[in-house]
Amino acid sequence: METVILTDPPKPPRETVEGFAGIGAATVGEALGRTGDLGSDLRPIQTGARIVGTAVTVLSWPGDNLMIHAAIEQCGPGDILVVVTRSPSQHGMFGELFATGLQHRGVAGAIIDAGVRDTQELRDMGFPVWARHINVMGTVKNTPGAVNVPVVINGQFIDAGDILVCDDDGIVVVPRGQADDALAKSQARLAKEEATRASFLDGELGLDRYGMRPVLADLGVTYRRHPEAP
């Protein structure tokens, strides 16, 4: 494992990142062709949080949070800390004290592909975290790793400066080089969903709006009056 701390990674323009605010992770994933999601097993420790930010990545040794300490110096306003371990770990690698330092630096939240602790304190302070495990087991601080290098979560590549869209449904990563195109597609998808919502409120059925009746017919689905219908 390379042991390096990369400083000043490239990031998309702030207005591009902020453009994703208010667009749900599921909508962004759909707009990108159902790609970019980090999987269903990274869950929020809170409900109702929706954040968007740029990744500061950490590659740590299992059960060792030394590189999280190193990464905090590289974090700034609008960033999201992303912690990945060299092999699977359930250790509680992140908690209230880390969050206090990150919150002071304007960091939006954290994604921990391992364990998190102090969940009540994190909720009380309003620092959003998505994690694979909740665990009281602590860590050591003596194994080198890397900061702002490419990492992988559930087969999804994440590089420093990529955009992360996080909410109760999950997390979607937008590669920084595709940010403008992804934002345009996400905004178009959101407008389409809003138009569909309005049509449903007017009583239109999805069967008709999406042209599904011929699909049902082609699949051999038939309608018959229920034998006990009045």
Side-chain angles (χ1 to χ4, degrees), residues 20-29 50 165-167 169 172 186 190 193:
F20 286 93
I23 305 179
T27 297
V28 175
R50 175 175 286 181
V165 183
C166 317
D167 59 24
D169 292 337
V172 170
S186 297
L190 183 63
E193 291 176 354

Side-chain angles (χ1 to χ4, degrees), residues 11 14 51-56 71-82 94 98-111 126-128:
K11 298 179 183 180
R14 193 66 216 162
I51 64 171
V52 176
T54 45
V56 172
I72 290 178
E73 184 180 23
Q74 305 305 317
C75 294
D79 285 332
I80 295 176
L81 184 74
V82 182
F94 184 93
F98 274 140
T100 299
L102 290 171
Q103 198 170 60
H104 174 74
R105 301 177 75 86
V107 173
I111 298 166
F127 189 85

Side-chain angles (χ1 to χ4, degrees), residues 101-223:
L102 290 171
Q103 198 170 60
H104 174 74
R105 301 177 75 86
V107 173
I111 298 166
I112 312 298
D113 191 19
V116 65
R117 50 171 281 184
D118 305 333
T119 54
Q120 185 61 59
E121 289 82 357
L122 291 168
R123 288 189 291 268
D124 288 344
M125 66 189 293
F127 189 85
V129 176
W130 285 254
R132 187 175 299 277
H133 305 287
I134 296 174
N135 198 342
V136 299
M137 182 178 291
T139 60
V140 296
K141 301 169 177 60
N142 56 23
T143 315
V147 175
N148 281 333
V149 299
V151 297
V152 177
I153 296 179
N154 284 341
Q156 181 62 55
F157 179 92
I158 306 167
D159 202 357
D162 286 349
I163 298 172
L164 296 157
V165 183
C166 317
D167 59 24
D168 287 349
D169 292 337
I171 305 163
V172 170
V173 57
V174 178
R176 62 177 186 249
Q178 302 174 24
D180 290 331
D181 181 61
L183 178 58
K185 289 178 178 177
S186 297
Q187 290 172 332
R189 176 79 188 189
L190 183 63
K192 179 181 179 181
E193 291 176 354
E194 290 174 347
T196 300
R197 185 179 301 108
S199 75
F200 287 171
L201 287 171
D202 285 339
E204 185 177 14
L205 295 174
L207 283 174
D208 298 314
R209 185 168 183 84
Y210 300 133
M212 292 180 181
R213 293 189 190 278
V215 176
L216 290 175
D218 290 344
L219 292 173
V221 179
T222 62
Y223 288 80

